[in-house]
Amino acid sequence: MSALRALRQLTASSSRVVAVRQLSTVSHRFVPSLAARIVSIPTNARAFSVSARRFGEGAVDITLSQKLTEELKYEEETAAGFPETPGFLSQFLKTNPWEIQDSLGNDEVVMTRTFGNEKIRLMFSIADMDAMEEDFESEESESEGQENDGDDPLHTFPIRASLSITKTTGPGCLNVDMIAQEGHFVVENVAFYQDAKLGTELTAEADWKRRGVYLGPQFETLDVGVQEEIEKYLAERGVNETAALFIPEYAEWKEQKEYISWLKNLKSFVDQ
């Protein structure tokens, strides 16, 4: 969820609380008038309200549709102030050899490129973005109060990513699990599969088979020299600071697009 939407939700929640308090303090003034109006309502009013109901049989269908319309209008008006293709995306594609495969409605994004005789695939998902963002914000709040050395860190929430490297000249697949955070990749694990198909196939069966393969030690337990050389190996292939900054930014932009699409689909279903 974007920071802007979170702020709007907090403001809306506060407004509802204030409105309830105000209503409770003044509602007794209008009781006689309200009672008079109720008495004067024709006996056929209830039949009219039922026949005027739309969108199915639910009593709240109309109000839900109205709220969705309001939210959708706000999000679309906000998005209208930005170019369809943001500058950070155009710049990244212009200056980097990565190609991006992204379909609306799919929470996964695939980045691909070649490097000599290697085929490289970098994948990340926005599905767990909110959960990881909450964990990241919790860690930040715990660190508040510590002395600041004057260098403000990059405030980008972490995104989990998976890298696979195969070679056209031989078998095998190198898989790297990592997190893009604050302008760099935090490597968690490096695994090797003798069967390249097993290491790259995105099926439930392949995932099940991979669980039985030795994945190697945790990256942080490796010799420091080995860690440094692996990080250089990845950076040389474009898994570097530029990509680490790009992924969270792209994920947030995509999440906003998916949210607008979700609002449209939900409203269309309710209105049927």
Side-chain angles (χ1 to χ4, degrees):
M1 180 183 297
S2 66
L4 182 59
R5 280 214 305 279
L7 179 60
R8 289 183 55 229
Q9 290 180 355
L10 179 59
T11 304
S13 177
S14 302
S15 301
R16 285 197 295 270
V17 173
V18 172
V20 170
R21 290 178 178 173
Q22 292 176 342
L23 181 60
S24 63
T25 58
V26 301
S27 60
H28 65 280
R29 302 177 186 175
F30 299 95
V31 170
S33 176
L34 179 60
R37 293 180 182 180
I38 293 175
V39 171
S40 63
I41 292 177
T43 57
N44 63 343
R46 183 180 179 185
F48 173 79
S49 64
V50 173
S51 62
R53 188 178 298 162
R54 299 182 294 133
F55 307 143
E57 300 302 321
V60 298
D61 290 35
I62 295 177
T63 55
L64 173 57
S65 179
Q66 291 172 343
K67 288 299 180 182
L68 290 172
T69 299
E70 293 173 5
E71 180 71 2
L72 182 58
K73 180 182 178 182
Y74 176 85
E75 294 294 341
E76 288 182 329
E77 288 178 350
T78 302
F82 299 92
E84 184 175 352
T85 302
F88 79 89
L89 176 56
S90 300
Q91 182 64 21
F92 181 82
L93 294 176
K94 182 179 179 181
T95 58
N96 292 274
W98 291 100
E99 295 181 0
I100 299 176
Q101 302 170 17
D102 180 10
S103 300
L104 188 64
N106 192 337
D107 61 17
E108 288 187 339
V109 179
V110 179
M111 300 169 59
T112 59
R113 63 161 297 181
T114 58
F115 184 79
N117 65 337
E118 300 174 357
K119 292 183 178 180
I120 302 175
R121 183 183 69 189
L122 181 58
M123 299 177 60
F124 62 93
S125 172
I126 65 171
D128 59 349
M129 192 173 73
D130 290 342
M132 295 197 71
E133 185 176 2
E134 289 176 2
D135 293 340
F136 179 61
E137 290 175 350
S138 176
E139 292 176 2
E140 278 195 326
S141 63
E142 290 177 0
S143 64
E144 288 182 359
Q146 296 181 356
E147 293 186 3
N148 193 328
D149 59 4
D151 296 328
D152 294 331
L154 295 170
H155 294 288
T156 58
F157 52 85
I159 295 291
R160 192 171 297 280
S162 177
L163 176 76
S164 65
I165 302 176
T166 58
K167 294 189 176 185
T168 57
T169 55
C173 174
L174 186 68
N175 278 14
V176 183
D177 294 325
M178 52 193 176
I179 296 176
Q181 179 178 340
E182 296 185 356
H184 67 278
F185 285 100
V186 179
V187 178
E188 294 186 325
N189 179 259
V190 178
F192 176 76
Y193 299 93
Q194 293 287 349
D195 185 356
K197 183 178 179 181
L198 177 62
T200 57
E201 214 172 43
L202 303 176
T203 64
E205 182 180 1
D207 183 61
W208 176 258
K209 290 180 179 180
R210 282 193 290 266
R211 297 183 185 185
V213 178
Y214 174 66
L215 300 179
Q218 288 296 308
F219 186 76
E220 61 184 9
T221 65
L222 293 172
D223 177 82
V224 174
V226 175
Q227 292 184 41
E228 291 176 349
E229 291 305 316
I230 289 178
E231 289 172 345
K232 292 177 183 177
Y233 177 90
L234 297 176
E236 191 175 25
R237 287 156 174 77
V239 187
N240 51 21
E241 179 180 344
T242 301
L245 287 171
F246 170 78
I247 287 177
E249 194 167 12
Y250 188 92
E252 187 170 18
W253 174 70
K254 175 176 173 59
E255 196 273 341
Q256 186 65 20
K257 286 201 309 176
E258 294 292 348
Y259 178 59
I260 292 177
S261 177
W262 177 84
L263 286 172
K264 290 180 179 178
N265 292 335
L266 184 57
K267 183 181 183 305
S268 176
F269 180 80
V270 172
D271 290 353
Q272 290 178 8

